[in-house]
Amino acid sequence: MLQMDETLDTLGKTIAGALAASVAGYAVAHHELNMSVRAADIVAVMRFLRDDPRCLFWNLTDVTAVDWPSRERRFDVVYHLLSPKHNLRIRVKAETDETTPVPSIIEVFPGADWFERETYDLYGVVFTGHPDMRRILTDYGFEGHPLRKDFPLTGFVEVRYDDELKRVVYEPVRLTQEFRNFDFLSPWEGTDYVLPGDEKAKGS
């Protein structure tokens, strides 16, 4: 593992040196290489990682995001890549906010198409240059982005089929019953009230 960390650290220095204007920093943690880059330069970074003989990250494994609501640039757009040639993996992060779009990397990795659509759908991150920036998992009329940490657990609307109208209807979320109260006591401590049947045990 130590040799792997040294290899990843050397690769991190190589990438940071070649893309000094685009790379904000790198770190090796838990035997993984993490690069922080400028979002505006993500296409050039991805092209370098794919084509440079020292990298050859040909496989785009995933594109997703992480939401940090208290941060000014609340989103980390995260790219995971694999180099089959060198048997190495890399995680690339680019920060953005709710209004600043991130360039699409489809011209470098066409397979990013659905990944970027999913990231837009669930987090609201918009990718410029994407040929079909539509929702992919939620419904067409869905409001909000469900993996944001400020998205309500119950959502905004509920969808159901109405037998009388013979169509799907959208309605504001209503809780059909009040939340129940639980005492959360340990079963070994017992309760203050008597459960049915317990009076027999106490009487013996």
Side-chain angles (χ1 to χ4, degrees):
M1 285 298 184
L2 182 60
Q3 183 179 356
M4 172 64 75
D5 286 354
E6 291 175 355
T7 301
L8 293 174
D9 186 66
T10 301
L11 180 60
K13 290 177 182 175
T14 300
I15 298 169
L19 302 171
S22 302
V23 175
Y26 80 93
V28 176
H30 307 291
H31 316 299
E32 296 178 349
L33 177 58
N34 300 275
M35 304 287 304
S36 297
V37 305
R38 292 181 64 245
D41 298 336
I42 192 63
V43 175
V45 170
M46 288 294 162
R47 187 175 286 112
F48 177 87
L49 294 176
R50 183 193 66 183
D51 298 340
D52 189 278
R54 296 164 294 182
C55 300
L56 300 178
F57 288 97
W58 299 330
N59 178 270
L60 176 70
T61 307
D62 188 29
V63 180
T64 186
V66 180
D67 184 15
W68 305 94
S70 59
R71 205 172 67 184
E72 183 179 356
R73 288 185 290 185
R74 68 183 288 180
F75 299 112
D76 281 336
V77 182
V78 185
Y79 305 81
H80 293 96
L81 298 101
L82 166 69
S83 171
K85 181 75 173 179
H86 300 303
N87 192 26
L88 295 173
R89 295 178 184 270
I90 188 171
R91 178 183 297 113
V92 180
K93 297 180 182 179
E95 292 185 7
T96 190
D97 55 33
E98 296 180 60
T99 57
T100 306
V102 177
S104 171
I105 62 167
I106 282 184
E107 64 179 81
V108 182
F109 291 105
D113 185 349
W114 282 15
F115 289 143
E116 291 179 347
R117 284 182 61 187
E118 181 179 339
T119 304
Y120 160 68
D121 192 1
L122 300 181
Y123 291 93
V125 177
V126 177
F127 296 87
T128 55
H130 192 287
D132 189 20
M133 191 89 279
R134 293 179 296 138
R135 291 185 180 271
I136 192 171
L137 295 176
T138 59
D139 192 59
Y140 294 117
F142 194 87
E143 295 180 19
H145 304 281
L147 288 190
R148 288 188 178 187
K149 290 182 180 173
D150 54 6
F151 188 81
L153 294 178
T154 56
F156 295 107
V157 296
E158 57 186 358
V159 183
R160 66 177 179 83
Y161 182 79
D162 191 295
D163 283 327
E164 293 180 6
L165 298 174
K166 301 299 182 192
R167 66 179 178 86
V168 173
V169 295
Y170 297 82
E171 297 174 334
V173 170
R174 295 189 314 268
L175 297 177
T176 55
Q177 67 180 24
E178 294 182 4
F179 288 107
R180 299 176 183 169
N181 293 320
F182 296 92
D183 54 32
F184 297 110
L185 290 175
S186 162
W188 304 111
E189 295 171 359
T191 61
D192 293 333
Y193 51 86
V194 178
L195 295 173
D198 281 1
E199 65 277 1
K200 298 175 187 174
K202 288 183 179 179
S204 59

